[in-house]
Structure formats: structure tokens, C-alpha cells
Amino acid sequence: MVDSMLVIEAFSDALVSGLIAALMAVVNLLPSSVSDAFQYAFMQRALLTSVLVGAICGMLSCYVVLKRWSLLGDAISHAVLPGVAIAYLLGWPFFVGAFITGALTSVGIGAIERNTRIKSDAAMGLMFTASFALGVVIISKLASSTHLMHILFGNVLGVKHSALMLTFVASVIAILTVWLAYRPLLLYAFDPQQAQALGFNTQIIHYGLILLLTLTIVASLETVGIILVVAMLITPGATAHLLTDRFKIMLLISVSIGICSAVIGLWLSVVFNVASGGAIVLVAFGFFIIALLFSPKQGLVSRQWRRWRMG
Amino acid sequence: MTASTLSAVAAIEVKGLYAAYQRHTVLENIELAFPKGKWTAIVGPNGAGKSTLFHVLTGSMKPLQGSVKAFDEPIAMHRRAGHIAYMAQREAIEWDFPVSVWETVMGGRYGHMRQDALWRRLLPARWHHGRHSEAVRDALIAVDMLAYADRPIGELSGGQKKRVLLARALAQQANILLLDEPLAGVDPPSEKLILSVLRREREAGNTVIMVTHDMPGARRHVDHVVLINRFVRGTGTPEDMLSEAKLAELAVSSTEQTVNDRQTMPGAAYGPAQG
């Protein structure tokens, strides 16, 4: 058991250094004014973490946007805080605590919605703020305020090797799940009743997707923090939705936008010495604005142009 | 059990069914048998529970009580085997969703793909799924939409959207077709086409069950009619069930129902319902 753990650890270590080497090979092609910033080990760790987080957030954001789960994503990301705090207290892995409180909150939202006259937006707002408040209270009791700030807003330049490994494993799991369950997830997002009629267990798909969201949020904790992760779970998918009518292409665009915003944001944050989480989200929003204006079918400018040409 | 004597084994048999949304009972004590190989119309006023019945049959809603069987076996088994196809109402679909007509119709094959080898399932359907692509093609030809295969679904007209949803149900090659208002809001040529497709399905020995508001159409085409308004209000031939007197009775029962709704329904109403 211990042996196999060691083997897995050594294996993933090797994979991560391989990935960093591959990334650096690309980065070194850039002008030295850009690539110089990435010569430090902590920057390389930050770069790989950002790429992974950008990729899985971009992937998941397609489902979040199409399923109208933006508010749910917001709710889960906030609900993760007390779980992280409790896990910290008990010495558990972050993910376990985060998933338990994330899942409890989403079950609580469902229960309130079904059994009372409270509507879903109020149920979500109610549950996630309560959960978040609990997290703030616990953390204020046991850790410094910088610690809280790092969880809330990310601290990608301080990413430790262990946190990078967690992000790496989470990314592999998320990507494999979406690949293996591509069809059930697509059908569930498009038409849950059809999925049900074909005998798919939509309860499992539903909670599986929530689990995947929680996993992604925990993996993004160090990079953008739990407040801003919801932006990465909405913006790339929304941008991609403006640009294509094909789901696979939407996934591709969304993942690319996620990665590009993470990398460009990281670089800008180092150059201008500003908060990296904020910089990443602002770059993503920049992409959204460009798509909003210039998307061939949906863009405001392109539509105006067509109208003008039609006379 | 007069209903179940209609044929030896019913395609779908519903017994003692109660269903509710939150605290609102929608269906009470439903006893129904849908005859195998026949075309049945479910008729009732708005809010009578027709769509709810379909939600129960497709499994997206759990009933409070009662059992549903297909071919005398638990219906969940037949759902998993892909024997039950469902055509949603147009309003139930998100038409902005980034999928093409082809991909949408391929959705009808997703159940059958579970039987494929794992390595096949991990590849795009176009590459390695000969029989699935063939079924999709046949279905698109049947509804005269093959030329639109690569179009995004959001660009279709109302009648075309209906035909795509029907094609998805056909692609499944199921024994039982559940159709929620297949003729609502379609242009006359689409209506004609949909009716002829359904007639062909019945001739092939499949069971067609549709919710409809179109009385003249139902009188002309179906074999069997179920009148529903919270309770089953009658089952029988179109001539008996769709007479003016019967329909007037059904309409009266709907005003009674709104009076009843203001009082608490004992027993059935309180329980976990899911959407």
C-alpha cells in the first residue's frame, strides 16, 4: 500500500517536472522580456498551476453556462470555505472537507427548494452565505488574516509543490471524467428528461457534475481563490458560447480562453506587481468583451455592420 | 380491470398511481393500460396531469404511489434497454444549445451506445458507430431533414424543430413512442409528415402514445383514447370518447378540480416529489 503510494507519487512528480519542462520549452520561444520572468522555480510552479486551472475551469464553465448553474457555482465556491477550514483543523486533505460542505450545501438548497415556497435563488443565497459565514468564523479563530486572504483571493506565486500536485491530480480526474462521461453529461445538460427516458441515472450525473465543480473549485483555490473562481467558471464558457454553435468547439475555445487568461494574467500580475487572481479574471473578461463586440454571428459590431451593409 | 383486457400484454400498464408537485396532487389513482401495437391519444384540459404522466413514464418524476410496468416487467428495465422513446414539447428544449441537428438526433442512440465496447464509446460517434450513424440517417430521411443535418438547432423553424425531436425518437428504434403534443404549433406540411411517420410506426408493430389537443386529428387517426383530468375520466374508442357530450363532461370536471384544489387533499399530497 505504502509502496504503491510512493510509486504513484514518484510517477506524478516525474509527470509534473516533464510538464514544466514542456511549458518552459514553449515559454523560451517567447522574447526574453517575457520569458525572463519564468526562470524561477516558483514562477514555473505558478505557470503550470495556472495552465491547469485555466484548462479545467474553462472545460467546466461550458456546462455551468449551458446548464444555467452560474449561481450554483457561486454557491458551491463559497460553501467550500468552512470545509477547507475544518479540514485544516482536523489535518484532512482540503478536498475532503471542501466536498463535504459543498455537497451538504447543494443538498440543503435542493431540500429548501422542494419542500418550501422559497424559490431557488433565495435558497442558494441563504445557504451559501450561511456556509461562508461559518467558514469565516472558523478561520478567524484559528488562522491569520493573511491565510484567509489567500484562500479568498488566491496566492498563485506562493503555490507549494503539494498544492501543485493536488491541482494536477484534480485536473487529470476532471478531464478524464468529462471524456469518459461525455455523452451522459452532454445529454443531461441538453435535455435531462431524455437522459432519464434512456435510463441514465440523472441523480448520479447531477451529483457527479456537482462533485466535479467542487473538485475544480478546490483545485483553483490557490490560483484565483474562492471568490474569483466563479468568474473562471462562467466567463470562458460564456465567451465560447458567443463564438460557436458546436459543443466540442465550444469546449475547445473555452479551455483555450481559460488557459490564455490564466497565463497572461499571471504574467501581467508579475510585471505590474498586482494581485494575480484579479489579473487573471480581468484578462478573461477582456476576451469576453472582444467576443461580445466582434463574434461573427452574435457580436454587436458585426451585427451593426451587417445591418449597415443591408442598408 | 376492464382496461387490461384490451390486449393480452399491455405495452404500458399503470396501477394505483398518485403523483404530486410539492403539495399539489396532479394525478390520483390512475389505472391505465396502453394496448400494444396501437396508437393511443391522451386527451384532457390544460393542467390535467398529462405531461406529469409522461414525466412519470420517462422516470424524471417519482410517483408518490403506484407501479408502472412495460410489457409486464418493471419499466426501468425497458428504459435502460432503449425500448422507450420520448419526444419532448418544443418548449422543454433549450434551442440555443450549441449542437447540430445530427448531434441532437444522435442523442436518441446514447442509450444503445452503452452496449458498445468501451473503446468505441470513447470515440466521436461519426467515426466508429456505423449502425448508430445509419439509424440517425434513416430517422432524418423519414422526417425529411437530412439536408439540415449540419445546421445548428437554433436556426430551425418551428415545424423543423418538431421534426428533429421526432427524428431523435425514431433514431432510438424503440417499441414504445411517447410523444408530448407532437402536432402543437406545426405548419400543415409538417403535420402531415409527422402523422404519416406515426402511422408507419404503428404499422411496424410499435406502440404510439401521444398527448394531443387536436380533436379532429385524434378522431381521424388514433385507435384508442384516454381521457384524463387528475383522475382517468374514460378510456375507449375515439368515437365513444371524443363525442361532444364526453368532451363537455371533461371540461366540467376541470372546473370542479379548481374548486377542489383550494381544499387540502388528504393523504396523497404530502410527500417527497422531485422535478
Side-chain angles (χ1 to χ4, degrees), chain A:
Chain A
M1 186 60 199
V2 177
D3 279 355
S4 68
M5 286 301 284
L6 280 176
V7 170
I8 293 172
E9 219 178 296
F11 182 68
S12 42
D13 268 0
L15 264 178
V16 165
S17 11
L19 279 173
I20 287 183
L23 270 179
M24 285 317 292
V26 177
V27 168
N28 284 329
L29 294 176
L30 298 168
S32 65
S33 57
V34 177
S35 65
D36 277 354
F38 293 98
Q39 299 311 318
Y40 306 96
F42 78 91
M43 270 308 281
Q44 295 177 356
R45 277 202 300 271
L47 179 66
L48 181 58
T49 314
S50 302
V51 167
L52 292 172
V53 165
I56 53 173
C57 283
M59 186 173 76
L60 261 290
S61 77
C62 291
Y63 297 95
V64 170
V65 166
L66 291 175
K67 199 96 195 89
R68 303 185 184 187
W69 270 12
S70 301
L71 195 55
L72 187 63
D74 201 16
I76 296 174
S77 66
H78 283 74
V80 151
L81 187 65
V84 171
I86 292 167
Y88 181 77
L89 201 66
L90 300 176
W92 292 351
F94 279 0
F95 176 69
V96 177
F99 178 66
I100 291 173
T101 51
L104 277 180
T105 308
S106 61
V107 169
I109 292 168
I112 292 179
E113 235 181 292
R114 274 200 291 277
N115 298 312
T116 72
R117 55 164 60 169
I118 310 288
K119 301 289 182 291
S120 68
D121 59 334
M124 280 185 207
L126 203 98
M127 289 301 289
F128 86 69
T129 47
S131 182
F132 189 67
L134 178 66
V136 171
V137 166
I138 296 175
I139 289 183
S140 70
K141 199 69 194 159
L142 53 87
S144 66
S145 61
T146 32
H147 206 100
L148 179 62
M149 287 300 276
H150 285 168
I151 295 178
L152 293 185
F153 298 109
N155 177 31
V156 70
L157 297 182
V159 167
K160 302 252 174 9
H161 182 72
S162 57
L164 172 54
M165 291 310 291
L166 172 78
T167 305
F168 178 70
V169 173
S171 310
V172 172
I173 294 174
I175 291 168
L176 276 181
T177 310
V178 168
W179 187 33
L180 293 175
Y182 177 79
R183 290 191 182 108
L185 283 175
L186 178 63
L187 194 59
Y188 176 66
F190 178 52
D191 186 355
Q193 198 175 357
Q194 164 84 357
Q196 192 62 255
L198 294 180
F200 287 100
N201 189 332
T202 50
Q203 292 281 321
I204 290 181
I205 301 176
H206 180 90
Y207 284 104
L209 204 51
I210 285 179
L211 180 75
L212 218 55
L213 260 179
T214 313
L215 187 78
T216 308
I217 288 165
V218 175
S220 318
L221 220 104
E222 306 263 349
T223 319
V224 283
I226 57 181
I227 306 279
L228 290 177
V229 65
V230 68
M232 291 304 284
L233 286 172
I234 299 170
T235 317
T239 310
H241 198 190
L242 289 178
L243 295 172
T244 179
D245 284 320
R246 290 279 185 281
F247 186 68
K248 272 181 193 155
I249 297 175
M250 180 175 170
L251 272 176
L252 214 71
I253 295 178
S254 183
V255 167
S256 315
I257 289 175
I259 293 175
C260 290
S261 343
V263 173
I264 298 173
L266 175 65
W267 182 73
L268 288 176
S269 79
V270 172
V271 172
F272 295 105
N273 193 23
V274 292
S276 41
I280 291 172
V281 171
L282 286 178
V283 173
F285 185 68
F287 280 116
F288 174 74
I289 293 294
I290 294 172
L292 183 68
L293 293 176
F294 301 109
S295 153
K297 269 191 199 163
Q298 309 284 327
L300 299 178
V301 172
S302 341
R303 272 195 212 166
Q304 201 56 47
W305 171 252
R306 269 200 303 271
R307 216 169 294 154
W308 180 75
R309 288 227 352 217
M310 298 274 217

Side-chain angles (χ1 to χ4, degrees), chain B residues 1 3 13-20 25-33 48 53 56 63-68 226-235 265-269:
Chain B
M1 276 313 115
E13 191 169 21
V14 179
K15 277 188 178 161
L17 180 83
Y18 286 78
T25 314
V26 188
L27 293 172
E28 268 184 64
N29 197 22
I30 303 294
E31 303 270 344
L32 279 175
L53 180 62
V56 172
L64 295 178
Q65 284 179 42
S67 73
V68 182
V226 170
L227 298 183
I228 247 181
N229 193 1
R230 189 199 290 259
F231 306 93
V232 174
R233 304 285 178 169
T235 58
M265 297 308 291

Side-chain angles (χ1 to χ4, degrees), chain B:
Chain B
M1 276 313 115
T2 45
S4 53
T5 52
L6 266 166
S7 66
V9 179
I12 291 184
E13 191 169 21
V14 179
K15 277 188 178 161
L17 180 83
Y18 286 78
Y21 283 111
Q22 297 191 353
R23 301 184 169 185
H24 203 89
T25 314
V26 188
L27 293 172
E28 268 184 64
N29 197 22
I30 303 294
E31 303 270 344
L32 279 175
F34 293 98
K36 192 172 148 186
K38 293 275 160 53
W39 185 347
T40 302
I42 302 176
V43 174
N46 284 326
K50 302 171 307 245
S51 290
T52 307
L53 180 62
F54 269 20
H55 284 302
V56 172
L57 296 183
T58 55
S60 51
M61 182 178 180
K62 283 212 178 73
L64 295 178
Q65 284 179 42
S67 73
V68 182
K69 288 185 166 180
F71 306 114
D72 226 12
E73 287 162 327
I75 193 165
M77 221 179 84
H78 288 279
R79 274 190 218 118
R80 282 196 66 82
H83 293 165
I84 296 163
Y86 169 68
M87 176 179 166
Q89 287 192 50
R90 202 164 60 216
E91 295 74 28
I93 301 288
E94 196 87 56
W95 294 98
D96 269 344
F97 207 90
V99 286
S100 66
V101 167
W102 179 276
E103 287 167 314
T104 305
V105 177
M106 188 59 91
R109 302 299 303 174
Y110 284 5
H112 296 299
M113 283 183 194
R114 279 182 303 221
Q115 266 86 55
D116 291 344
L118 183 68
W119 68 270
R120 267 179 202 278
R121 278 191 266 160
L122 297 180
L123 294 170
R126 239 176 237 256
W127 294 2
H128 281 279
H129 298 70
R131 71 192 176 100
H132 300 308
S133 300
E134 220 166 273
V136 170
R137 222 184 139 72
D138 291 348
L140 282 174
I141 291 171
V143 299
D144 198 18
M145 286 293 288
L146 189 61
Y148 294 82
D150 286 324
R151 289 281 183 91
I153 53 169
E155 291 178 5
L156 304 176
S157 73
Q160 290 171 334
K161 285 174 178 167
K162 280 280 184 192
R163 274 144 67 187
V164 168
L165 290 179
L166 178 61
R168 182 173 70 170
L170 293 178
Q172 202 180 321
Q173 296 169 338
N175 317 103
I176 300 175
L177 288 135
L178 301 174
L179 315 150
D180 201 348
E181 308 213 18
L183 303 171
V186 300
D187 48 298
S190 290
E191 180 177 343
K192 206 170 151 228
L193 187 118
I194 291 171
L195 285 170
S196 79
V197 168
L198 295 181
R199 212 174 302 125
R200 220 177 315 145
E201 283 297 307
R202 177 191 48 188
E203 275 153 26
N206 296 324
T207 307
V208 179
I209 302 169
M210 70 173 189
V211 167
T212 187
H213 278 129
D214 171 24
M215 298 307 145
R219 277 193 201 101
R220 219 166 330 124
H221 299 285
V222 307
D223 312 304
H224 187 66
V225 172
V226 170
L227 298 183
I228 247 181
N229 193 1
R230 189 199 290 259
F231 306 93
V232 174
R233 304 285 178 169
T235 58
T237 61
E239 295 79 49
D240 293 344
M241 288 299 123
L242 299 179
S243 63
E244 293 303 327
K246 262 285 183 197
L247 290 176
E249 208 177 285
L250 191 68
V252 171
S253 72
S254 111
T255 47
E256 273 169 21
Q257 184 197 328
T258 43
V259 174
N260 272 337
D261 273 347
R262 304 223 174 85
Q263 294 146 15
T264 331
M265 297 308 291
Y270 298 95
Q274 52 180 102

